[in-house]
Amino acid sequence: MAQATSQKLVYIGPDKYNQKVIKRYNRCHYHVNLNQISVVNSMKSKHLTAIFGVRTNSLMSNDDIEINFLKKRIQNPIYNDKEDRVYFVVIRNKTDQTIYIDRSHCFRIDSDGSKYCYFDPNNKVDKESRKRLIAIPPHAKKNLTDYRWEKSKKGNYIEIIEYPEEFLWNTDAAKMYEGYVNYGEAKRFTEEDSPYYRSFLIAYSKQEDFATYSLAMINFYMKEVVGLYYPENYEYNSIQNFYIKGDDRYSITSWTRLY
C-alpha cells in the first residue's frame, strides 16, 4: 500500500438502519422462570456472566458499511471435545466500490484503560503472517480477524496467529467481588451507570492509500451481570430456570470466576 502523504478524515454519519442494527444486541437479556424463583437463593455466586449491549451513540451502519459481532463456537484443535465461544467482527461493504480496512488504525479499547491495536508493525506475527490492509469487494463481507493457528513443533500446544473476540473483562475494574450477586440473581445497568465499557474503532477508506478515510466507533456496555456460568447453557434445560432471551447470534456474553 502506498501511503498518502496527507490524509483527510471524512465524517460519515449513521444511516436509517443504524438503530435497528444496535437493537439486535440490546434485545438479548437474562430471564428467570418465575415458577422456579426459589432456585435464586442466598448462596453467593462464584461465577459471573456479563451480558453486553450496544450504546445508542454507536455507529454500526452507514451508507458505506455495516458492522456486526456474530457469535460462533469454534473447535479447539488440541482439545477436540472443547468448543470455544468467540465473536467475529464482520464488516459488510454496502457500496459498489472496494472498501479497505486499515488494521493499524483499528483498536479495541476497554474502560480499564487497556488498548489493543489490530496490527502492530513491531510484532513478528503481524509482520510475517497478517495483512495490514483488508480489501472488501463490493457488497461482500470480511472479518476484522479470523481464527488461524499453527501446531507447535515442540509440545502439544498451538500458536495463535489470529483470533476473534472473547469479550473478557476485568472484575477488579468493574469492582465486582465474591458475593456481588447470589446464585441465579442478575443486576441490570443503564448505558450511563454501567460498571464496564468496551469500544471498537474501525478505520476504512474507498482508496487504497487512505487519502481520505472514515471511522466507525461501536461502544459496548455491560448491561447485566448474572450469578451463573453462561446462562446460554441453560436454554435447553428441561426445567429452563434460567436462560437468555433473544437471538443467540447477537447475545454478547463473557464468563469469569471469582476467587
Side-chain angles (χ1 to χ4, degrees):
M1 178 185 71
Q3 193 75 25
T5 54
S6 62
Q7 296 174 305
K8 181 181 179 182
L9 173 62
V10 177
Y11 174 73
I12 306 292
D15 65 6
K16 62 181 181 180
Y17 300 106
N18 187 58
Q19 289 303 314
K20 181 179 179 180
V21 177
I22 289 173
K23 286 178 181 178
R24 291 172 180 167
Y25 303 88
N26 296 336
R27 290 193 188 103
C28 300
H29 64 276
Y30 171 67
H31 178 80
V32 180
N33 186 334
L34 296 179
N35 294 325
Q36 299 289 336
I37 196 66
S38 60
V39 298
V40 181
N41 54 40
S42 59
M43 182 174 67
K44 303 299 183 185
S45 178
K46 291 186 178 181
H47 301 104
L48 290 181
T49 295
I51 304 174
F52 289 88
V54 179
R55 301 183 75 179
T56 53
N57 64 355
S58 300
L59 196 160
M60 301 189 77
S61 178
N62 61 21
D63 290 339
D64 296 331
I65 60 174
E66 181 180 311
I67 303 170
N68 277 287
F69 291 69
L70 293 185
K71 175 190 295 180
K72 288 189 178 180
R73 290 168 171 83
I74 58 175
Q75 195 74 27
N76 186 300
I78 298 298
Y79 307 104
N80 292 325
D81 60 340
K82 179 182 178 182
E83 288 188 333
D84 294 333
R85 175 191 279 99
V86 295
Y87 302 89
F88 288 89
V89 183
V90 183
I91 304 167
R92 178 167 69 93
N93 180 355
K94 297 163 68 173
T95 75
D96 296 326
Q97 302 173 254
T98 298
I99 280 182
Y100 300 91
I101 307 295
D102 185 351
R103 292 205 283 200
S104 69
H105 287 82
C106 294
F107 294 90
R108 180 180 66 231
I109 308 158
D110 274 15
S111 58
D112 63 5
S114 60
K115 182 169 69 173
Y116 171 78
C117 180
Y118 286 90
F119 184 90
D120 180 359
N122 299 314
N123 184 303
K124 181 182 177 181
V125 173
D126 282 7
K127 286 195 296 185
E128 294 180 355
S129 305
R130 300 179 65 191
K131 293 181 179 180
R132 173 181 173 178
L133 217 62
I134 301 172
I136 308 177
H139 306 287
K141 300 177 183 178
K142 283 200 176 179
N143 298 333
L144 182 63
T145 54
D146 285 305
Y147 181 40
R148 296 194 295 129
W149 54 271
E150 290 180 353
K151 214 166 214 179
S152 174
K153 297 177 181 178
K154 299 178 181 179
N156 190 31
Y157 65 93
I158 61 172
E159 295 177 350
I160 299 294
I161 298 172
E162 197 168 3
Y163 202 75
E165 301 299 317
E166 288 187 293
F167 274 80
L168 301 179
W169 53 286
N170 187 317
T171 53
D172 289 337
K175 298 180 179 179
M176 294 180 186
Y177 310 100
E178 186 174 348
Y180 185 79
V181 292
N182 293 337
Y183 172 74
E185 181 188 8
K187 287 191 177 182
R188 295 183 177 179
F189 311 101
T190 67
E191 293 186 24
E192 289 72 30
D193 67 10
S194 176
Y196 207 84
Y197 297 91
R198 172 166 293 175
S199 296
F200 294 84
L201 182 66
I202 310 294
Y204 74 92
S205 176
K206 296 175 185 174
Q207 300 163 292
E208 191 173 0
D209 64 359
F210 269 69
T212 62
Y213 69 99
S214 299
L215 299 173
M217 176 76 86
I218 301 98
N219 301 306
F220 284 87
Y221 73 104
M222 185 185 293
K223 69 188 188 79
E224 295 181 56
V225 64
V226 183
L228 286 174
Y229 170 82
Y230 279 133
E232 297 103 308
N233 292 353
Y234 294 81
E235 186 170 359
Y236 301 107
N237 187 298
S238 59
I239 300 175
Q240 290 191 339
N241 293 334
F242 321 104
Y243 57 94
I244 291 181
K245 297 183 71 173
D247 190 332
D248 187 55
R249 293 173 299 170
Y250 302 110
S251 65
I252 307 294
T253 62
S254 183
W255 166 85
T256 190
R257 179 179 173 86
L258 297 170
Y259 293 95

